[in-house]
Amino acid sequence: MKTILKLFTMLFCVVTYAQTTVKGKINDNSGLPLPGANIVVVGSSSGTVSDFDGYYSLTVEQVPPFSIRVSYTGFETQTVEVTTNNQTIDVTLAEGSSLDEVVISASRTPERIFESPVTVERFGLKEIKNTASADYYGGLENLKGVDINTNSLTFKSINTRGFATFANTRFVQLVDGMDNSAPLLNFPMGNLLGMVETDAQSVELLPGASSALYGANAFNGILFMTSKNPFDHQGIRGFFKQGITSQEAAGDNDYTDFGISMAYKFSDKIAVKANFGYLKGTDWFAANYDDKDISGGTRESNINYDGVNIYGDNVTTNIKDVALTLESLGLAPAGSSALIPSVDVSRTGYKEVELTDYNAESVKADWGLYFRPWANDFEIQYVGKVGTGSTIYQGAQRYRIENFSLQQHKLEIKNDDFFVRGYVNSDKTGDTYVLDVAGPNLLQAWKEHDVWFGEYVAEFIGQTLGGATNTQAHAAARIAAEQGRPELGSDEFNRLYEQVTSDSDFLTGSALKDNSKIYHGDANYNFRDKIKFAEIQVGGSYRTYRLNSFGTIYADANGPITYSELGLYTQLQRSIELNESLELKLTGSVRYDKSELFDAFFSPRISAGLTVNENHNFRASFQTGFRNPDTQSLYIGLRTALGTLVGGASDIGNLYERDYGVSQFAQNNLGQPSTIPQTADAAYNNSLLASIATDLSDHDSSSNGKNFIGNSNYVKPEQVSSVEVGYRGKLQNFIIDASAYYSSYKDFLANESVVAPLYGDVSNFDLTGYDPNNPASVAVLNPDTQQILAALDNDDFHVYQTNTNSEETVNSYGAAIAVSTKVFNGFDLSANYTYSKLDFDVKNNPDFRTSFNTPEHKVKASLGKTELFKNFGFNVAWRWSDNYFWEASFGDGEVPAFHVLDAQVNLRVPSLKSTFKVGASNVLHDEYFTAFGTGYIGSQYYVSWTINNL
């Protein structure tokens, strides 16, 4: 027993002796503390971070001598030797250049932004804390080359290099390696369900094609958001932000935003973290009541008025046709139709503010368990994320996103040389509904359209017989048809509203229903420690989509639709020292991608960077990208009152089929059955262009009419090739980052409207000899053509909006430059300019919509200082956008030039470990909008209290 006690005592002494503690304080070169500085033992993963006052204490199981590395973003890293136990080491870090900041995204390996082979933008801890925007995600708009399209208060969409609407399916957003897109929508929803501000570590953005390393959909840019690892950032951090939003249409409304981050390291092997964020406010009201088709048009001036943010007034008909029908049925006096002009009249719709409460809300939480079994860089992570929210989204329609939720769960194994991860995204639409589908169906639920127009025409006839003018008759007819309309807020209105917004059949309701999933796995290995000739990486990814809308949105009435994509890539990077002042860095990568729906793609990228005298870097690259059609472009099967939206996947015909009623004329005279089944394949194999309904009356008898044949092509991936050159460097006290690019796109995804007749073979359609002014000429046409014309005359056809590819090649080019320096003894001054130009002949292709949607010129500037005087700082950011023309399915229109000023001042109180901030977005309150159809963006004024955010 004594021997055991002696051995135990000796072992305890050895362990005790092996415990080494180092402590001290980290300051900048002006003597101010640096909270959140990283202190790591060289050659291991053991480390800590400095507290709010810059102090740190590090205890390790290592006997001196050894070295510690001290780093802080924006400062030069220092390595200091530890020689004794309980040693106090104070470190002063010199402020470094932004060119020394380390990025990972450009090459999937850590490298200085100075030597990155492609354009990359970085938004680090300093920028996150000091942004002049109301939140750090909005602060990304101050980066060069970046547009943020503001959908609503809580939903902002990032766009780089144009070709995007709010549904930016050409852009990828990764949060800790996970694609942040919702399976239903197939694009990221901004930061609505993203990271809590106090957990944000850094943001990196690659504009342009990035498919060579990141695969399908990294087509026009990719955003990387990285959170704080609990091994490096421990403790409790939080913020509370209170203020108002101010908009002319909505007035002044309260705005609350708060979050909390908790992280704890149990040992060098186990750490955990959890975050929670909550935002509540009032969305920007969309109150554009201009007529979509007539500039300045109003309901009073246009009987066929269709307001931008009014829904239901797109229900329109020719009242002459209504009068003829009533007369033929004996419901109107004989000859009364002669009193009715042949004009279109629309129903009276609902304003958007009458169909939504504009409540903006975001609730998000995430948690993680981090395990380092050998207390080194080998780490196993489980991360879970869940978010729910309410907002306004504008796509082909205006959507009220209500209680929408997204879950993500990830398991990852990694170290400095490799990672293997798998995750799942799952969404639920909650109580989401479509505003401009709700409007017409709410009117129909109150009074059927046929009844409303019948009452309109009957009153018009009576007024005309009584001697009223047309203007007077139209006014009286509308009043008569509107009799009995439920008042807003009444029990009857609320009953109808609930009925329509909870019904997922778009013929009668407007609700979205979906519970789709994405399963994704990817891996990467870096051979830098195994191969010395060059740094070589290999990796791959595998993704499966499971679409499940219960037959409401997708063509999945018979069960969920699944399909998969595989990608493999490799990259080689080598630096060659040409002489003492010249170093050449070459990078080459290629990726192979194969979707089970399409042929395989190879995406190469090559780049070269030349460093001159350690202060100047010149780069050039050629890269390619592709974008697989999104889930809706492939498999949407949404039937509406105006037609059916169908995906362009080659197997869509096997998934979507409906029975359609046949006219009595066709049954009696053509021997057709009472109903005929039609699959979605008819839109791609037996259809005519929708324009035939209006153009047939002008048909030239010398033409065979083949120009009317539709038959859209099934979809295939988009492709882009891009050449880029750039420069980063330091000229005296100025840091410059400049780039220019030229990109060529082909196989752009597009929509096409077609009509598919219920009978007749379109392949035999031939109008040779047909004269629209001579009905007898129909007799000379072949039987199929005769049947098709009969189908068109008797409404025996169905309208489809297809998804297909354009044959047009679209080019664009642009350039950007950013300059930063310090002025007036330490003030940070920066400015950037971005130029973007579409190279496409719009005049000769008037029907093709590129949705370039970015201004030709953008200018941004900022001025700030973290220590204007002791513990007090400020930041001011200004940006100006040139006017541009917005193109999207919802509507097209001019976006006027605008300029915005954001500002904040902050006071740091070390004794409370707190920072207090007063700020405002759009200080000058010049309301503006970034897309046609959205609400004007007003101002946000706030005060915030942030605690212990190292």
Side-chain angles (χ1 to χ4, degrees):
M1 184 66 180
K2 290 182 179 180
T3 303
I4 294 175
L5 287 174
K6 287 180 180 179
L7 290 172
F8 181 82
T9 302
M10 290 174 63
L11 179 61
F12 180 78
C13 291
V14 169
V15 171
T16 303
Y17 178 73
Q19 294 280 332
T20 302
T21 299
V22 186
K23 58 184 178 180
K25 186 177 183 182
I26 313 299
N27 293 319
D28 65 12
N29 49 11
S30 64
L32 295 171
L34 292 177
N38 286 295
I39 302 95
V40 179
V41 175
V42 175
S44 80
S45 62
S46 299
T48 187
V49 294
S50 58
D51 65 17
F52 197 83
D53 300 311
Y55 291 102
Y56 73 95
S57 179
L58 174 65
T59 300
V60 296
E61 296 179 2
Q62 197 163 338
V63 178
F66 59 86
S67 296
I68 58 173
R69 181 181 296 112
V70 183
S71 62
Y72 191 84
T73 302
F75 289 80
E76 295 179 0
T77 300
Q78 277 200 40
T79 301
V80 183
E81 187 174 18
V82 177
T83 56
T84 62
N85 189 17
N86 293 322
Q87 187 174 355
T88 298
I89 300 178
D90 295 331
V91 178
T92 299
L93 297 181
E95 189 166 0
S97 163
S98 60
L99 298 176
D100 296 323
E101 294 178 349
V102 175
V103 294
I104 299 176
S105 57
S107 303
R108 283 191 180 268
T109 188
E111 60 189 349
R112 295 165 62 211
I113 195 171
F114 171 70
E115 57 191 18
S116 167
V118 294
T119 297
V120 59
E121 303 293 330
R122 189 178 189 279
F123 206 70
L125 277 175
K126 179 181 177 182
E127 290 79 14
I128 291 171
K129 292 177 185 178
N130 294 298
T131 179
S133 300
D135 60 80
Y136 78 95
Y137 197 87
L140 300 176
E141 190 164 14
N142 295 312
L143 299 174
K144 73 176 187 297
V146 174
D147 297 324
I148 288 190
N149 295 321
T150 301
N151 223 321
S152 60
L153 186 66
T154 54
F155 186 1
K156 299 177 179 179
S157 177
I158 293 180
N159 180 17
T160 60
R161 299 190 178 176
F163 303 111
T165 62
F166 288 116
N168 196 351
T169 51
R170 297 183 175 99
F171 187 86
V172 175
Q173 178 173 295
L174 301 179
V175 179
D176 289 331
M178 293 184 289
D179 189 339
N180 198 222
S181 62
L184 166 65
L185 302 173
N186 230 206
F187 59 86
M189 297 183 68
N191 202 39
L192 179 68
L193 307 172
M195 289 196 306
V196 175
E197 188 165 316
T198 45
D199 194 44
Q201 174 73 15
S202 66
V203 180
E204 297 178 18
L205 187 146
L206 294 179
S210 305
S211 295
L213 289 182
Y214 297 103
N217 305 334
F219 185 75
N220 235 28
I222 185 167
L223 182 75
F224 302 82
M225 304 173 71
T226 305
S227 67
K228 294 173 180 174
N229 190 300
F231 280 107
D232 302 324
H233 299 270
Q234 301 166 54
I236 299 176
R237 307 178 297 275
F239 72 93
F240 181 83
K241 193 178 298 181
Q242 182 66 53
I244 64 169
T245 56
S246 181
Q247 184 200 22
E248 183 177 341
D252 295 340
N253 296 280
D254 290 340
Y255 163 75
T256 301
D257 186 12
F258 70 82
I260 185 170
S261 300
M262 298 170 285
Y264 185 75
K265 184 172 76 169
F266 291 95
S267 67
D268 287 341
K269 295 184 178 181
I270 299 178
V272 296
K273 76 171 184 178
N275 301 282
F276 176 81
Y278 176 78
L279 182 150
K280 184 175 178 60
T282 299
D283 248 322
W284 309 118
F285 282 24
N288 183 350
Y289 303 137
D290 287 344
D291 195 302
K292 278 187 176 181
D293 302 314
I294 302 174
S295 179
T298 64
R299 168 56 70 195
E300 291 71 26
S301 65
N302 181 14
I303 57 174
N304 197 37
Y305 167 78
D306 183 8
V308 175
N309 294 127
I310 296 182
Y311 312 119
D313 52 359
N314 60 324
V315 178
T316 181
T317 194
N318 188 292
I319 59 173
K320 182 76 165 182
D321 294 338
V322 175
L324 289 169
T325 300
L326 292 176
E327 190 176 332
S328 67
L329 296 174
L331 299 176
S336 61
S337 60
L339 302 174
I340 305 297
S342 180
V343 293
D344 291 332
V345 171
S346 64
R347 290 197 67 170
T348 306
Y350 293 96
K351 295 179 180 178
E352 182 171 295
V353 70
E354 297 171 340
L355 297 179
T356 181
D357 59 9
Y358 284 112
N359 174 53
E361 192 170 28
S362 172
V363 183
K364 51 196 171 191
D366 64 84
W367 55 93
L369 173 63
Y370 298 72
F371 179 45
R372 294 177 176 177
W374 299 288
N376 57 16
D377 65 337
F378 186 90
E379 184 172 286
I380 302 172
Q381 299 179 1
Y382 160 70
V383 173
K385 298 174 70 71
V386 62
T388 183
S390 299
T391 188
I392 298 291
Y393 157 65
Q394 181 173 303
Q397 294 93 19
R398 295 274 290 175
Y399 294 75
R400 173 58 181 169
I401 306 291
E402 187 84 38
N403 300 321
F404 185 95
S405 65
L406 176 68
Q407 284 193 56
Q408 295 181 293
H409 298 276
K410 178 185 76 168
L411 184 64
E412 181 171 8
I413 303 172
K414 68 174 187 175
N415 71 2
D416 290 344
D417 294 326
F418 84 96
F419 68 79
V420 178
R421 73 169 70 99
Y423 61 87
V424 58
N425 290 7
S426 176
D427 64 26
K428 289 186 178 180
T429 49
D431 302 312
T432 298
Y433 60 95
V434 185
L435 290 164
D436 39 355
V437 175
N441 286 339
L442 190 57
L443 294 176
Q444 172 79 354
W446 159 57
K447 183 182 290 186
E448 293 183 6
H449 301 319
D450 288 345
V451 174
W452 191 93
F453 285 111
E455 293 178 357
Y456 189 103
V457 168
E459 181 66 21
F460 190 96
I461 292 172
Q463 289 290 325
T464 303
L465 291 173
T469 65
N470 274 358
T471 300
Q472 292 170 334
H474 280 299
R478 186 169 297 276
I479 292 172
E482 287 291 293
Q483 288 295 321
R485 178 167 172 152
E487 292 188 10
L488 295 172
S490 67
D491 291 342
E492 178 64 7
F493 176 84
N494 291 338
R495 182 187 68 80
L496 294 173
Y497 176 85
E498 177 63 26
Q499 171 186 315
V500 169
T501 58
S502 60
D503 180 1
S504 58
D505 184 345
F506 272 30
L507 295 179
T508 54
S510 61
L512 291 182
K513 188 177 181 182
D514 184 73
N515 184 203
S516 295
K517 292 179 172 63
I518 295 174
Y519 300 94
H520 185 95
D522 57 345
N524 177 277
Y525 193 92
N526 192 317
F527 290 90
R528 58 190 158 203
D529 295 330
K530 309 293 189 298
I531 301 174
K532 301 304 180 184
F533 167 76
E535 182 173 302
I536 299 175
Q537 297 183 63
V538 295
S541 64
Y542 185 81
R543 172 174 290 194
T544 295
Y545 293 89
R546 184 178 186 272
L547 310 181
N548 185 24
S549 72
F550 313 96
T552 62
I553 301 167
Y554 297 113
D556 58 355
N558 296 323
I561 300 170
T562 61
Y563 65 97
S564 300
E565 301 169 349
L566 168 71
L568 301 170
Y569 65 86
T570 185
Q571 175 178 275
L572 183 149
Q573 192 171 71
R574 176 173 168 78
S575 296
I576 304 170
E577 188 173 333
L578 302 177
N579 56 43
E580 292 183 357
S581 60
L582 292 177
E583 182 176 349
L584 179 65
K585 185 176 184 179
L586 301 173
T587 304
S589 55
V590 64
R591 182 179 176 110
Y592 166 89
D593 281 275
K594 177 68 177 75
S595 166
E596 66 177 86
L597 303 176
F598 306 108
D599 293 335
F601 266 88
F602 285 92
S603 304
R605 181 180 82 173
I606 56 173
S607 65
L610 180 66
T611 301
V612 181
N613 294 327
E614 297 184 351
N615 284 325
H616 310 284
N617 181 273
F618 300 88
R619 65 184 186 276
S621 65
F622 169 78
Q623 49 194 329
T624 59
F626 73 100
R627 174 200 164 207
N628 282 331
D630 56 87
T631 55
Q632 293 190 24
S633 296
L634 287 167
Y635 287 113
I636 193 170
L638 183 61
R639 188 178 180 188
T640 74
L642 300 178
T644 298
L645 284 62
V646 290
S650 59
D651 59 345
I652 191 69
N654 300 327
L655 301 170
Y656 188 91
E657 180 178 321
R658 294 290 185 275
D659 290 332
Y660 299 101
V662 177
S663 67
Q664 199 64 49
F665 173 87
Q667 295 179 52
N668 296 339
N669 299 284
L670 302 177
Q672 297 294 339
S674 59
T675 61
I676 293 179
Q678 189 177 80
T679 72
D681 263 341
Y684 296 92
N685 297 311
N686 197 60
S687 68
L688 303 168
L689 295 177
S691 59
I692 193 172
T694 55
D695 292 348
L696 186 60
S697 61
D698 298 325
H699 172 65
D700 183 354
S701 58
S702 64
S703 168
N704 61 14
K706 296 298 183 183
N707 56 304
F708 287 132
I709 295 179
N711 290 349
S712 300
N713 293 317
Y714 295 113
V715 290
K716 57 185 177 181
E718 298 178 334
Q719 299 179 62
V720 61
S721 299
S722 184
V723 177
E724 181 180 310
V725 295
Y727 165 80
R728 294 187 189 93
K730 188 174 183 180
L731 296 173
Q732 296 182 344
N733 295 324
F734 293 92
I735 294 173
I736 300 173
D737 189 348
S739 62
Y741 68 91
Y742 188 91
S743 300
S744 181
Y745 301 81
K746 66 178 183 178
D747 296 327
F748 251 42
L749 285 172
N751 297 120
E752 192 170 45
S753 292
V754 298
V755 294
L758 297 181
Y759 41 85
D761 187 348
V762 168
S763 65
N764 294 325
F765 188 67
D766 188 347
L767 291 175
T768 303
Y770 171 67
D771 182 357
N773 298 313
N774 179 16
S777 65
V778 174
V780 304
L781 305 178
N782 66 54
D784 277 310
T785 304
Q786 290 180 5
Q787 290 198 51
I788 291 170
L789 291 180
L792 294 175
D793 283 341
N794 292 279
D795 292 334
D796 287 340
F797 60 84
H798 192 67
V799 179
Y800 293 94
Q801 179 180 284
T802 63
N803 286 271
T804 186
N805 298 83
S806 170
E807 297 179 357
E808 304 296 335
T809 297
V810 181
N811 302 316
S812 70
Y813 55 91
I817 183 169
V819 180
S820 60
T821 187
K822 286 189 177 293
V823 297
F824 308 128
N825 194 29
F827 285 78
D828 294 310
L829 176 64
S830 64
N832 64 71
Y833 165 73
T834 303
Y835 174 76
S836 305
K837 186 69 173 177
L838 177 67
D839 183 12
F840 181 70
D841 190 351
V842 176
K843 289 184 178 179
N844 288 328
N845 298 276
D847 296 328
F848 181 71
R849 305 155 69 89
T850 64
S851 297
F852 190 55
N853 294 344
T854 190
E856 187 170 338
H857 306 281
K858 294 190 294 282
V859 180
K860 306 171 185 179
S862 67
L863 176 68
K865 190 173 186 181
T866 54
E867 294 286 332
L868 183 62
F869 50 83
K870 187 175 182 181
N871 295 329
F872 182 85
F874 81 99
N875 194 22
V876 176
W878 171 84
R879 59 185 180 275
W880 172 82
S881 170
D882 198 3
N883 66 296
Y884 57 98
F885 190 77
W886 178 271
E887 291 180 328
S889 300
F890 178 78
D892 303 339
E894 191 75 19
V895 177
F898 60 85
H899 65 97
V900 182
L901 182 69
D902 302 335
Q904 62 91 2
V905 295
N906 62 83
L907 176 66
R908 188 170 166 272
V909 183
S911 61
L912 299 176
K913 300 185 182 297
S914 298
T915 300
F916 297 91
K917 182 187 289 188
V918 177
S921 293
N922 193 9
V923 176
L924 303 178
H925 200 64
D926 291 332
E927 295 189 2
Y928 66 101
F929 60 93
T930 61
F932 176 79
T934 63
Y936 278 79
I937 303 166
S939 302
Q940 289 178 263
Y941 306 96
Y942 64 90
V943 294
S944 70
W945 178 16
T946 304
I947 304 173
N948 203 32
N949 189 27
L950 304 181

